[in-house]
Amino acid sequence: MRIRDFLFIFAKRVIFRLQVMKEKRYINPLTDFGFKKIFSDEEIMRDFLNDIIEPHSPIQKVVFLDKEMPPETKYERGIIYDMRCRLENGEEVLVEMQNRGQDYFRDRICYYMARAISTQGERGDNEWKFRLHPVYGVFFMNFHLKDITPSVSIEENADNSSDDKKDIRHVMLQDVNTGKTFSDKLQMWLIELPRYRRMSENDCKTNIDFWLYTLTHMETMTNEIPFQREKPIFHKLENIADMAVLTREEREYYNISLDSYRTNMAVMAHERNQGRREGLAKGLAEGRAEGRAEGRAEGRAKGLAEGRADVIKKMSQKLDSKQIADLLGLDSSYINNILNEGEAREGEA
């Protein structure tokens, strides 16, 4: 290759890098492509799992497994996990990214966990005594769980850093009466990402804070990824997430993934706005209906009272108040009030 050709290619790559950096410096890790590109790196996955699971001894090795779990029979459904891996001690970990909420999302993750643990009972193994290796599930959710009161808020957690995962739901089987763990073989960590978008760099105190702040803010970062001194693995994270190092094929996949992600976000925003509009319209309609009903009831009551007063006044021309009260079944004081009000109006006139 001639020097002129080499310089031309080099200059073209530099211009391309500058254009990419002007657009976005890092990939969006919440897209399907971005999430899998980052967490398919064994070192990054191992470091993250050590921080989120906090095992008794640090995880030394992560082996990625086939993400597809085919059905055992033609009548069952298969599963395709985002990330599925096994640790050196046989424990299995599922790592999932979900951008859109679902009505039965909690049921879905229970099903995923149950299918993963059920594969440990191999057919034809007469020596198996039901001893299970733990299965862990880490679920990133780009939405809030419905019908569950949020745990301690980001702001409250900032005032008390003794528990560095107060904002992450850690779920396992528990004895309701005693509060003690019944089994630790199925454990789930549920991470609501929208809650971490309110964080600033100064709010970050722990390793989990560093991870979740970075993942939720990475796409808009223009400088180097923060916390590299506290988390050396973030230097590798920065290199992997750098838009400029993507191949042409990777950029095509990423653009498709990014378009899908943005479409999902737009649909979710539309659904939320539509729900608010429908709720407002329903509230206004119910308010108008209630107002009309109250108005009709008030009008009927007023008309009835005025008609009764006219009858009482006519009867008073020949009967006293006690006789009128006895005939109409009303209290004599009520009759006197009606008659006194009539006399007062006549006096004013």
Side-chain angles (χ1 to χ4, degrees):
M1 180 184 294
R2 292 180 297 180
I3 295 177
R4 186 177 64 180
D5 294 336
F6 174 80
L7 292 175
F8 175 76
I9 294 173
F10 177 77
K12 195 172 181 180
R13 289 180 177 177
V14 169
I15 293 171
F16 172 74
R17 181 181 179 88
L18 291 173
Q19 289 175 338
V20 168
M21 290 179 66
K22 186 177 179 181
E23 298 169 2
K24 295 289 183 180
R25 180 166 180 177
Y26 302 110
I27 60 177
N28 185 335
L30 307 186
T31 62
D32 184 68
F33 174 89
F35 181 77
K36 291 175 180 176
K37 182 171 179 60
I38 289 171
F39 284 103
S40 62
D41 181 87
E42 195 267 342
E43 287 185 274
I44 290 178
M45 177 67 88
R46 185 176 70 241
D47 192 279
F48 173 74
L49 292 180
N50 274 316
D51 287 339
I52 190 73
I53 296 175
E54 292 185 325
H56 296 300
S57 58
I59 298 169
Q60 300 296 330
K61 186 177 181 181
V62 173
V63 177
F64 292 99
L65 304 176
D66 188 352
K67 293 179 288 188
E68 184 173 358
M69 184 176 289
E72 295 182 359
T73 70
K74 64 179 181 180
Y75 303 105
E76 297 177 351
R77 294 185 61 176
I79 295 177
I80 300 178
Y81 298 106
D82 284 340
M83 308 293 295
R84 180 181 173 220
C85 50
R86 181 174 291 127
L87 310 182
E88 70 271 10
N89 56 6
E91 297 173 348
E92 189 169 322
V93 184
L94 310 176
V95 183
E96 292 279 319
M97 165 60 73
Q98 184 71 27
N99 277 308
R100 292 191 64 183
Q102 299 178 353
D103 290 336
Y104 302 103
F105 179 73
R106 281 174 284 176
D107 293 348
R108 176 182 174 180
I109 62 178
C110 289
Y111 177 72
Y112 277 21
M113 298 288 289
R115 281 295 304 272
I117 204 168
S118 68
T119 60
Q120 296 184 30
E122 296 293 339
R123 294 180 178 179
D125 185 358
N126 296 326
E127 300 300 320
W128 187 58
K129 305 299 182 183
F130 292 95
R131 182 178 181 273
L132 297 173
H133 292 291
V135 174
Y136 305 129
V138 181
F139 298 92
F140 291 91
M141 302 173 297
N142 204 7
F143 55 90
H144 293 291
L145 281 175
K146 295 181 179 179
D147 305 324
I148 294 183
T149 303
S151 56
V152 178
S153 68
I154 296 289
E155 291 77 6
E156 292 174 302
N157 196 25
D159 297 333
N160 181 11
S161 59
S162 60
D163 183 353
D164 64 352
K165 295 201 292 292
K166 284 185 177 179
D167 299 289
I168 299 173
R169 303 178 195 280
H170 183 191
V171 181
M172 67 173 70
L173 296 176
Q174 187 181 65
D175 187 317
V176 174
N177 295 323
T178 65
K180 294 182 178 180
T181 300
F182 175 76
S183 173
D184 62 354
K185 297 302 175 72
L186 281 174
Q187 298 188 50
M188 293 175 276
W189 286 263
L190 310 179
I191 306 170
E192 296 181 29
L193 293 176
R195 305 185 64 198
Y196 290 89
R197 291 197 178 94
R198 302 195 304 270
M199 293 182 74
S200 67
E201 286 190 37
N202 293 331
D203 294 328
C204 300
K205 309 297 182 185
T206 67
N207 286 341
I208 285 298
D209 290 343
F210 301 151
W211 275 108
L212 298 177
Y213 173 85
T214 300
L215 291 174
T216 53
H217 292 82
M218 182 185 294
E219 188 190 21
T220 59
M221 291 179 180
T222 55
N223 299 317
E224 67 176 23
I225 289 179
F227 313 121
Q228 294 191 31
R229 184 173 59 183
E230 295 86 353
K231 296 289 297 178
I233 193 66
F234 280 15
H235 179 69
K236 185 173 189 179
L237 174 63
E238 180 179 276
N239 292 333
I240 290 176
D242 191 339
M243 285 283 293
V245 302
L246 297 181
T247 65
R248 185 180 299 275
E249 185 179 17
E250 286 177 326
R251 281 186 64 85
E252 290 177 357
Y253 283 130
Y254 175 65
N255 287 332
I256 294 172
S257 182
L258 183 63
D259 182 66
S260 176
Y261 170 82
R262 288 173 175 169
T263 299
N264 277 330
M265 294 299 101
V267 170
M268 288 175 63
H270 171 74
E271 289 173 347
R272 286 194 297 269
N273 293 332
Q274 184 69 18
R276 293 190 190 101
R277 287 192 292 268
E278 290 177 356
L280 179 61
K282 183 179 179 181
L284 290 173
E286 291 176 351
R288 293 192 190 100
E290 184 178 350
R292 287 194 294 269
E294 290 178 353
R296 286 194 294 268
E298 184 178 348
R300 284 194 296 268
K302 185 177 180 181
L304 180 62
E306 291 176 351
R308 182 182 293 164
D310 289 339
V311 171
I312 291 171
K313 290 174 185 176
K314 290 179 180 179
M315 294 177 70
S316 68
Q317 296 174 3
K318 297 182 178 181
L319 302 171
D320 59 31
S321 60
K322 185 177 183 307
Q323 291 174 319
I324 296 172
D326 291 339
L327 288 172
L328 297 180
L330 299 173
D331 188 77
S332 58
S333 61
Y334 174 78
I335 302 297
N336 289 327
N337 289 336
I338 294 295
L339 295 176
N340 291 334
E341 287 177 2
E343 291 175 357
R345 289 196 187 95
E346 290 175 359
E348 291 174 358

